[in-house]
Structure formats: structure tokens, C-alpha cells
Amino acid sequence: MITAERKPLEEIIECIRPYDRILLVGCNECVTVCAAGGRKEVGLLASALRMAFMKEGRTLEITELTLERQCDPEYVEELVTMIDAADAVLSMACGCGVQEVARRYKNKPVYPAVNTKFMGASVSQGVWAERCQGCGDCILGLTGGICPVARCSKRLLNGPCGGSTSGKCEISDDVECAWQLIWDRMKELGIQDRYEEVMVAKDWRTSRDGGPRKIVREDLA
Amino acid sequence: MKTESVLEKVLTSGQLAVTSECGPPRGALPDKVREKAAMLKGYVDGINVTDNQTAMVRMSSLAACIIIREMGLDPILQMVTRDRNRLAMQSDIIGAYAFGINTMLCLSGDHPKFGDHPMAANVYDLDSVQLIQTVKQMREEGIFQGGDKILNPPQMFIGAAANPFADPFELRVARLAKKINAGVDFVQTQCIYNLDKFEKWMEGICDRGLDKKVYIMPGITPMKSAGMARYMKNRVPGMDVPDEVVKRMAGVPKEKQAQEGVDIAVESIERLKNVKGVHGFHIMAIEWEQIVPEIVKRSGLYPRPEL
Ligand code: SF4
Ligand code: SF4
């Protein structure tokens, strides 16, 4: 899923300071799962903002709404009845959701209330970690199911580098060395002999380097 | 002979080669480069010029290599894949060769986190193994990584680094094998203080016959003080400094520690000279270039062969 974290309250307040009426929109998908921008977080942020404005002697009118999926035009359409009553939209969805609102409601300012972080998985209660960079040409089949592009700090395709120490990455004791994990898994699978095959330079065109990407499915279009 | 490299000539002649290192200055100070290189003149077969070492901005390796080349010496262009993509790296390789620089070292480089621009984008378009492959292809097939023909392709003698002490240890021989598969000609290692472990690594290399495919030059760094020994032991990732070495350094009075460090370096060279598969030494005296001649002389590696 896509993970996100709420921005600091002060930063959000600065964004919406010029407005009196805010439409605060959450999303029921990824940001709900990672507890950054679902219904609950929308409620919490709304009260925090009201309080902060009250302290400044102002009243902030906030309409709260959590859409099923903010990156989907069908659901973003639901805002149509309330958009005119707001001076600005504050979105708690990932960057995709924020942009979908901006695309649909052309003359309404929209501000992100979260920082979209990465595509990751849940590691334990309250902990998420990066797993995929969407390189567009998946090589997990060659690396024992562990992604060096997303999980090696230098995205080495022929790691590990000389800084790998006791299973940890040279950048921090908190980061596992992806290549230690790959090697352990290769051993587990009995495919160690594949390690010495050189992984050739990657074609990054399928990744962000090839320009903004798009999928067109003729069969569905 | 694959190239015009002096290092290649010495290595293929079967004599022990010697290289050393020069870190370019953190500013436009060409005389600093000249000063450091001049200290090494006549004592080494090649001078590695580091490329934004420890992820700190310095004069470019290419520019410093040109300065050294113009002194009539033999620079080794170090290139990390951290800062530039494959276009930039290949154009620098051509540029270097156009100035008569014919030996290089392909590295992945330290993560920007360790340097003075931790906020910088981390490129890694290629990794060190893929850079080796690219330089080899430029030399042997005369084509760019992208496939187009090169006019007067650069003939580079290709080096890489190896760290016998990084984890997982069981992969350290395999990783060298991978660099050999990619086309590396010589390897300079991480500083060796744990000689037993280094010898074990070399055994693994010789058992697989890899010593016949690549020239291995152990890295030797004289320590200036017990403090430096402790710092290297505890702070530098992938460095293995045994307790005995720290103790030995700490066991002599402060003013004699530098001499002790040099003694250790010379003794290490003497011992490693006899290890099968060792073809020379890479003496990295960090900000202490003036000590290199003494180490080379005392190790019986002086004078350097005239080839
Ligand atoms: S190889 Fe590419 S697509 Fe596959 S997990 Fe890694 S980044 Fe994602
Ligand atoms: S220590 Fe491991 S994860 Fe970190 S950069 Fe090196 S190979 Fe990649």
C-alpha cells in the first residue's frame, strides 16, 4: 500500500490560515490502513484545527468527509455538493488523491495534510517499511523475492557493498542490508549459484526516469 | 597487454606493484595536488585519485588526475557511481583517456549520508559491477553502454575495490568472482589489519583459481596514533582492526605511535608478500602522503621497476 504521515500541525495551520471555511477530506484506502488520513484522523485533525483557531480568536468552519477512494474520479465527484461552501480543500489522502481533487475542482485551492511516503508493507503494529519503488520491470524473481531497488540504500543490483555489517546497512543500524536478506533467501531456496551471474545495467525507462507513466488497457478502455 | 597502463606493465611483469592515494583538495588548489603527487614520485606505479571520498565535495578526480598526468606521473581515476549517471561517467572516461589517463577504479561509493551533502540525490544509475562491465565493453567492443560505436575507444586498465571483512563473509569471495565475471583486471582491498582473516579470504580465492584471473593488491594504511586505531575499529563501516593492533599502538608512548604504525605497515607488507595471489600493495596514507616513500623503501619495494 501507499503509506503517509500527517504533516506537523503548524505547517497545516499556515496553509489554511487565509481561509474561514475548509472542506477536510480523508480517504478510506491506504491512508486509513496506515492511520494517516482515514475517518478517525480526519476527526482528530478537525478538532485540533478548531482548537488552534479558537486560541487565535477565530472560528474555523470545517466540513469533514472521508471518501471511499480519493484517487478515483467516481468518488471525488461526491464533493460536488459541498465544494462551493468551502474556501479551500484540505486533503488527507496520498498525493494521488490530492491531485484528483485539484483536477476535478479547478478553481478551488487544495492543500495536502499528509506527506506521502512510500509503497510499503506493515512490519508490526504501527510500523511500516518501504518495499517497492515501482520501477516498472520487476526483478523480484531474480533476487529471492527481496527488492534491491527499494531496499538497498544504494539500489545496487550486484550487492552487497563493502559496508554491510552483521546484517545491517552501512547507513544505520536500523536498516537491514537488503543484500544480506537476498543472500539468506537465496540460500534458503538453494539458488546460491545464481549469485555470481552479473545483473546487467537496468533499463530505467520503465521507472520514473522515462517520464511520467501511464497504463492504457485497451480491453477495459 | 590490454592497455598502456604502467600498472598493468608492472603487474604482468610478475613484480610486486605499488600504488598509493591522493585525496584532492576541498577547493581550487592545483598546487596541493602537485605537492601530494610529487611526494609519491618514483615510489609508486600509480596514484589513485579519490572521487568525492566519504561523500564530501572535493576537486573532481578527473581534474586532479589531469594535473598529475601533466607532471608525467600515472594517476588512477577513481569513479563512484553515486554522483553521476551513465552518460556523465562515460563522458568522463573518454575525457580522461584523451589526457592519457589509462587506469581507473570502479566503485559504488559511500552513501551521501556520511558526507557534507546528506540532502543530495543519490544517483546509482549503475552499480560498481555494472560500471566495470561498461568500461570493459568500451575497451573491448568499442561501444558505449547504450550500444553506439565510440570513436577511438578508451583503453582503460580496470580496477575495483574489495573488502574481505564485510558481511556476509561467505559472500566475499563470490562477490569478487562477480567482479571478475564483469571484467575487472586488478583489485585493491580495504585496509588490512586482520592478516589472518585476509589470508583466509585469499585462500578461498586461490581455491577457486580466481588468483589467476585478477591481480590482488592488499590495502595498507599506516596508523598515526592509538586514537586513529580505535576510531577505525569502532567507527568505520566494514573495517576490521583486531584488538592486538589497538593494544600495540596504545602500548607505546604518544610520540612514538606514528613510528609504531609505520612498523606495523612494513611488517604487514613483509608477511603478505609471501601470500599466494598477492601481486602488490596499495598504500593509503590518508593525509600522510610523505610517509609513503619510507614504507616503500623499508618494505624492499624500492626502486620501482623501469618498464
Ligand atoms: S523490482 Fe521494481 S517493481 Fe519489483 S519490487 Fe522492486 S521496485 Fe518494485
Ligand atoms: S549495506 Fe547492504 S543495503 Fe546498505 S548500501 Fe550496502 S548493500 Fe545496500
Side-chain angles (χ1 to χ4, degrees):
Chain A
M1 69 170 157
I2 293 174
T3 60
E5 264 182 324
R6 209 200 70 198
K7 282 180 179 285
L9 193 61
E10 306 71 56
E11 186 185 340
I12 301 175
I13 291 172
E14 279 319 305
C15 290
I16 61 167
R17 193 176 290 288
Y19 310 110
D20 299 315
R21 301 170 307 163
I22 291 293
L23 179 55
L24 179 58
V25 192
C27 175
N28 211 14
E29 296 278 356
C30 308
V31 288
T32 295
V33 183
C34 67
R39 200 175 310 276
K40 186 170 160 217
E41 292 73 33
V42 165
L44 289 170
L45 178 59
S47 4
L49 289 174
R50 282 194 196 99
M51 291 249 284
F53 273 65
M54 215 154 23
K55 270 198 200 140
E56 292 180 16
R58 288 177 57 189
T59 33
L60 182 66
E61 199 181 291
I62 304 182
T63 311
E64 301 168 38
L65 186 72
T66 298
L67 299 178
E68 195 49 40
R69 209 162 37 244
Q70 214 180 117
C71 57
D72 193 330
E74 187 187 327
Y75 296 106
V76 171
E77 199 56 38
E78 288 172 17
L79 300 178
V80 78
T81 54
M82 46 198 96
I83 198 89
D84 288 338
D87 304 324
V89 178
L90 186 57
S91 166
M92 297 197 84
C94 73
C96 311
V98 178
Q99 292 183 61
E100 195 43 39
V101 172
R103 186 198 60 79
R104 172 61 185 83
Y105 303 103
K106 298 218 170 346
N107 54 12
K108 198 61 66 179
V110 49
Y111 296 93
V114 303
N115 290 318
T116 305
K117 305 289 261 205
F118 51 79
M119 286 191 271
S122 170
V123 176
S124 57
Q125 185 65 30
V127 180
W128 294 269
E130 182 157 25
R131 292 289 180 261
C132 173
Q133 291 232 322
C135 76
D137 183 11
C138 194
I139 54 168
L140 284 175
L142 301 172
T143 56
I146 290 144
C147 175
V149 179
R151 300 177 68 178
C152 165
S153 304
K154 302 176 188 166
R155 67 174 191 185
L156 306 179
L157 297 188
N158 297 283
C161 74
S164 180
T165 309
S166 314
K168 302 297 179 196
C169 173
E170 69 173 27
I171 69 156
S172 161
D173 284 347
D174 296 336
V175 179
E176 285 175 300
C177 169
W179 274 99
Q180 175 78 57
L181 297 175
I182 293 169
W183 173 244
D184 292 346
R185 180 104 164 112
M186 281 180 139
K187 279 200 295 188
E188 207 73 60
L189 297 172
I191 54 167
Q192 301 96 302
D193 47 317
R194 278 208 220 146
Y195 172 78
E196 285 179 28
E197 289 164 23
V198 172
M199 247 199 265
V200 298
K202 198 164 163 63
D203 181 341
W204 295 110
R205 273 175 295 188
T206 56
S207 189
R208 175 67 187 85
D209 308 85
R213 295 167 283 175
K214 197 178 194 173
I215 297 173
V216 181
R217 281 276 303 271
E218 302 286 355
D219 57 330
L220 300 175
Chain B
M1 293 284 291
K2 300 168 183 167
T3 71
E4 293 288 304
S5 165
V6 166
L7 181 61
E8 182 181 12
K9 283 191 190 125
V10 175
L11 287 168
T12 48
S13 76
Q15 301 172 73
L16 288 169
V18 181
T19 52
S20 188
E21 178 177 286
C22 153
R26 303 202 72 205
L29 300 170
D31 284 340
K32 270 266 170 248
V33 178
R34 291 186 192 108
E35 200 181 291
K36 283 185 173 190
M39 291 179 205
L40 301 169
K41 187 174 177 183
Y43 293 95
V44 297
D45 309 309
I47 302 171
N48 285 47
V49 182
T50 54
D51 181 11
N52 287 343
Q53 193 175 16
T54 60
M56 309 266 272
V57 179
R58 291 171 179 274
M59 180 191 292
S60 74
S61 174
L62 175 56
C65 278
I66 293 170
I67 295 172
I68 294 173
R69 183 73 203 147
E70 287 182 340
M71 296 167 72
L73 303 176
D74 297 290
I76 299 173
L77 177 74
Q78 292 200 182
M79 190 173 278
V80 299
T81 64
R82 176 195 61 225
D83 303 334
R84 282 163 298 168
N85 71 5
R86 63 190 86 178
L87 277 87
M89 289 192 286
Q90 291 179 97
S91 67
D92 277 357
I93 292 166
I94 294 176
Y97 190 64
F99 277 95
I101 295 155
N102 48 32
T103 311
M104 63 178 289
L105 195 77
C106 305
L107 304 163
S108 52
D110 295 321
H111 193 273
K113 184 188 164 161
F114 296 103
D116 62 346
H117 290 75
M119 70 301 272
N122 203 1
V123 180
Y124 293 115
D125 180 19
L126 303 179
D127 65 21
S128 58
V129 174
Q130 293 160 346
L131 178 58
I132 293 168
Q133 222 171 20
T134 301
V135 186
K136 169 100 183 280
Q137 182 181 303
M138 291 171 89
R139 182 180 80 200
E140 311 273 301
E141 296 170 48
I143 54 173
F144 290 114
Q145 202 277 329
D148 283 356
K149 260 188 74 166
I150 308 171
L151 310 170
N152 189 26
Q155 307 293 301
M156 287 283 178
F157 191 52
I158 309 168
N163 182 0
F165 309 114
D167 289 324
F169 183 65
E170 53 182 343
L171 250 191
R172 295 335 297 189
V173 172
R175 178 134 157 98
L176 181 71
K178 205 168 190 174
K179 290 186 174 176
I180 294 170
N181 287 342
V184 78
D185 300 308
F186 71 98
V187 160
Q188 295 169 327
T189 77
Q190 171 72 284
C191 320
I192 310 294
Y193 298 107
N194 187 340
L195 278 68
D196 294 338
K197 199 164 176 184
F198 173 78
E199 286 171 354
K200 206 170 138 215
W201 179 69
M202 283 304 299
E203 247 174 64
I205 286 164
C206 294
D207 285 349
R208 290 190 49 186
L210 297 176
D211 57 313
K212 302 273 176 297
K213 297 184 176 164
V214 70
Y215 299 108
I216 295 173
M217 305 175 69
I220 302 290
T221 294
M223 289 190 287
K224 260 186 168 165
S225 64
M228 174 173 169
R230 268 182 231 114
Y231 178 83
M232 299 243 280
K233 180 180 177 64
N234 302 322
R235 286 293 159 86
V236 182
M239 188 74 76
D240 184 338
V241 185
D243 288 330
E244 306 94 79
V245 176
V246 180
K247 264 195 216 131
R248 184 169 159 189
M249 288 296 291
V252 296
K254 241 192 161 61
E255 64 286 358
K256 295 220 169 108
Q257 286 179 350
Q259 199 48 52
E260 196 69 15
V262 172
D263 290 349
I264 294 174
V266 172
E267 289 163 27
S268 302
I269 293 176
E270 287 297 351
R271 174 167 155 190
L272 296 180
K273 266 183 186 176
N274 304 311
V275 172
K276 187 168 174 243
V278 167
H279 288 272
F281 295 91
H282 180 46
I283 304 169
M284 294 168 274
I286 303 154
E287 295 302 323
W288 196 17
E289 288 80 3
Q290 61 274 24
I291 200 69
V292 173
E294 182 185 334
I295 296 174
V296 174
K297 279 195 203 146
R298 282 183 53 198
S299 310
L301 296 168
Y302 185 80
R304 301 307 311 143
E306 294 280 345
L307 295 168

